[in-house]
Amino acid sequence: MRKLFWLMVLLLAVFFARPIWEEPVGEYVDLSFLDSVDRTIENVTEDPEVSRAMDGARNFTSRVGTELRSMIASSSLEMPEAVAKPELAETDSLVAVHNVTLGMDKDEAQEKVGMPLRLMRNEYGTDWHSYHQDYQNYVLLSYDKDEKVNGMFTNQDLISSTEGITMDSTKSEVRSLLGVPLKSLQKGNVQYILDTREEYDVFKIDNTYTTIFYDIHEGDSVTAVQVIHEDLEKARPEIYAEANEELKEGYEYLLFELTNSARIQRNLPLLKWDEQTQLTARKHSKDMADNEYFSHTNLEGQSPFDRMNEDGISFYVAGENLAYGQYSSIFAHEGLMNSMGHRENIVKPEFGYLGIGTAFNEENQPYYTANFFNR
């Protein structure tokens, strides 16, 4: 019975902070998105005794979860006022975002999207200008030295296309319209194979690189679109940007914004940025990058909750997401959303705060640690 009791405690921890395990980094870099811990749980539950314990744990956690949701409902967390979606005009471009197209003057673009709320350094050496109203109508734009749009991104229903691509399109429909996606990207003398795991496609059409992201949990429907001018893509000398402080902060804040953009679309309260937890997350990312491992448990045996407690962060519910090796925060976020365990943390109603810390290894590959919690 004692063994059974501790097993139930372990399973409760899994419920409230999935995923809490990750495979360690191997000798070779795996650029694919991280697998969910769900497979591990499935293997564990094959044991009959474990299955009975897990059923009891599910019943208990279901009751606790209901109580937590009631606490949230009666708390001070409020949804922002709803904002109307702009009317999308017809376009003669492959993809327009919020009626903005590549090559458009900055002044004209900002007449459509407003003024930026934050600038974040990206992997192309430019800044993503972030436009939104409480993360509704969320758009990222990049500008060249002549202040013309050379990069665009959105993960909301703000796209129009000459080919009829919408956020309701599926992967098969996109491929039938745009053709065969790229299998690799050439950077200097190096050809990088795109290990997309069928979660996104990159198309080179005319003078643009268009990346279409898919939601594998919702029928492979389009979930986000990134459009980069070929001049900007060619200016990126390697697949990973050279690490610096601006890029680290840019990646951190962008992952935070993308998380809130995903939450607002699901009518969930927005998360607040927590600087103290950012420092905790940064330390873990740096520890993983410096010591070449990848795990929620550090080399001293500390869990995410141990590290947060050690740094004086009080919480009644918490969780942690990790990502490693993605080209940018956009790719990291879209991959995490396609992993059910990570996705549950991103859209968990009980969470109210988030701190994100990024670090880079010697190959400029980013490590992300995202600590979610509520106090």
Side-chain angles (χ1 to χ4, degrees):
M1 286 299 295
R2 182 183 297 271
K3 182 195 297 186
L4 190 59
F5 170 77
W6 284 112
L7 180 58
M8 290 181 67
V9 171
L10 174 63
L11 292 171
L12 288 175
V14 171
F15 178 85
F16 284 115
R18 285 181 285 180
I20 61 171
W21 306 294
E22 295 289 354
E23 292 297 324
V25 175
E27 181 179 357
Y28 300 100
V29 176
D30 180 5
L31 300 182
S32 62
F33 298 121
L34 308 178
D35 291 333
S36 170
V37 71
D38 294 347
R39 295 192 186 95
T40 304
I41 296 176
E42 288 170 2
N43 292 336
V44 171
T45 57
E46 290 178 0
D47 187 295
E49 183 178 356
V50 174
S51 296
R52 287 192 295 272
M54 199 164 183
D55 288 339
R58 285 197 187 100
N59 292 334
F60 179 79
T61 53
S62 177
R63 177 170 57 82
V64 173
T66 300
E67 293 173 357
L68 285 174
R69 280 187 282 275
S70 298
M71 291 170 59
I72 293 297
S74 61
S75 73
S76 59
L77 290 176
E78 296 181 358
M79 289 293 298
E81 185 176 346
V83 175
K85 191 186 85 169
E87 184 176 347
L88 300 179
E90 291 187 5
T91 181
D92 57 1
S93 296
L94 176 63
V95 175
V97 174
H98 203 303
N99 297 320
V100 175
T101 58
L102 290 185
M104 183 176 287
D105 289 332
K106 182 178 181 180
D107 290 342
E108 183 181 357
Q110 292 191 158
E111 286 180 4
K112 303 177 184 297
V113 298
M115 298 302 292
L117 300 182
R118 181 181 278 132
L119 273 63
M120 299 166 286
R121 184 54 51 93
N122 61 34
E123 69 272 28
Y124 297 100
T126 63
D127 291 325
W128 282 126
H129 294 60
S130 174
Y131 304 90
H132 59 88
Q133 299 87 42
D134 288 322
Y135 298 97
Q136 299 167 82
N137 298 331
Y138 187 80
V139 174
L140 299 174
L141 298 178
S142 168
Y143 303 97
D144 64 19
K145 58 183 178 59
D146 297 319
E147 296 199 327
K148 294 184 181 296
V149 176
N150 62 359
M152 309 184 298
F153 172 86
T154 188
N155 59 358
Q156 298 187 8
D157 188 13
L158 299 171
I159 62 172
S160 49
S161 167
T162 54
E163 299 298 329
I165 297 171
T166 71
M167 299 299 276
D168 293 324
S169 300
T170 63
K171 181 194 304 178
S172 60
E173 291 170 343
V174 170
R175 290 177 175 177
S176 68
L177 293 169
L178 300 187
V180 179
L182 296 180
K183 300 300 182 185
S184 63
L185 274 180
Q186 188 79 24
K187 294 292 179 184
N189 296 323
V190 179
Q191 189 173 25
Y192 294 90
I193 304 299
L194 297 174
D195 186 9
T196 67
R197 300 296 176 93
E198 296 290 308
E199 296 181 358
Y200 68 91
D201 286 327
V202 182
F203 300 93
K204 173 64 169 69
I205 299 174
D206 297 329
N207 62 348
T208 68
Y209 286 85
T210 300
T211 304
I212 310 289
F213 296 91
Y214 307 110
D215 190 327
I216 65 173
H217 300 297
E218 296 182 9
D220 280 336
S221 59
V222 174
T223 184
V225 176
Q226 176 179 276
V227 184
I228 301 295
H229 193 280
E230 65 176 346
D231 290 343
L232 183 58
E233 184 61 60
K234 288 178 180 177
R236 180 168 59 142
E238 297 180 0
I239 202 72
Y240 293 108
E242 185 174 350
N244 55 50
E245 283 298 311
E246 281 187 302
L247 188 66
K248 178 171 72 174
E249 289 188 0
Y251 279 5
E252 291 168 346
Y253 284 117
L254 180 52
L255 190 55
F256 172 77
E257 289 200 356
L258 294 169
T259 300
N260 268 335
S261 180
R263 287 176 70 89
I264 199 67
Q265 293 180 78
R266 292 160 174 80
N267 296 314
L268 295 171
L270 298 175
L271 301 176
K272 296 179 181 179
W273 180 258
D274 189 81
E275 291 186 357
Q276 187 178 14
T277 313
Q278 176 193 29
L279 298 178
T280 300
R282 278 185 171 180
K283 286 190 292 185
H284 187 57
S285 288
K286 187 176 188 303
D287 188 40
M288 290 189 294
D290 289 349
N291 293 290
E292 299 181 342
Y293 75 95
F294 187 69
S295 174
H296 291 284
T297 303
N298 66 16
L299 300 180
E300 297 177 355
Q302 293 179 312
S303 72
F305 317 111
D306 295 329
R307 296 191 294 272
M308 293 173 69
N309 280 320
E310 185 176 68
D311 289 345
I313 300 167
S314 60
F315 57 90
Y316 70 81
V317 60
E320 180 175 87
N321 280 352
L322 300 180
Y324 158 68
Q326 290 80 14
Y327 310 134
S328 72
S329 295
I330 289 173
F331 284 85
H333 171 75
E334 293 299 323
L336 291 169
M337 286 294 288
N338 273 330
S339 169
M340 189 53 75
H342 299 84
R343 184 186 185 116
E344 288 181 10
N345 275 340
I346 292 170
V347 301
K348 193 176 184 70
E350 291 80 9
F351 290 145
Y353 299 88
L354 174 60
I356 297 173
T358 303
F360 302 87
N361 63 15
E362 293 182 355
E363 287 75 38
N364 292 321
Q365 296 159 340
Y367 287 74
Y368 297 90
T369 300
N371 290 132
F372 303 79
F373 71 100
N374 214 343
R375 56 170 68 97

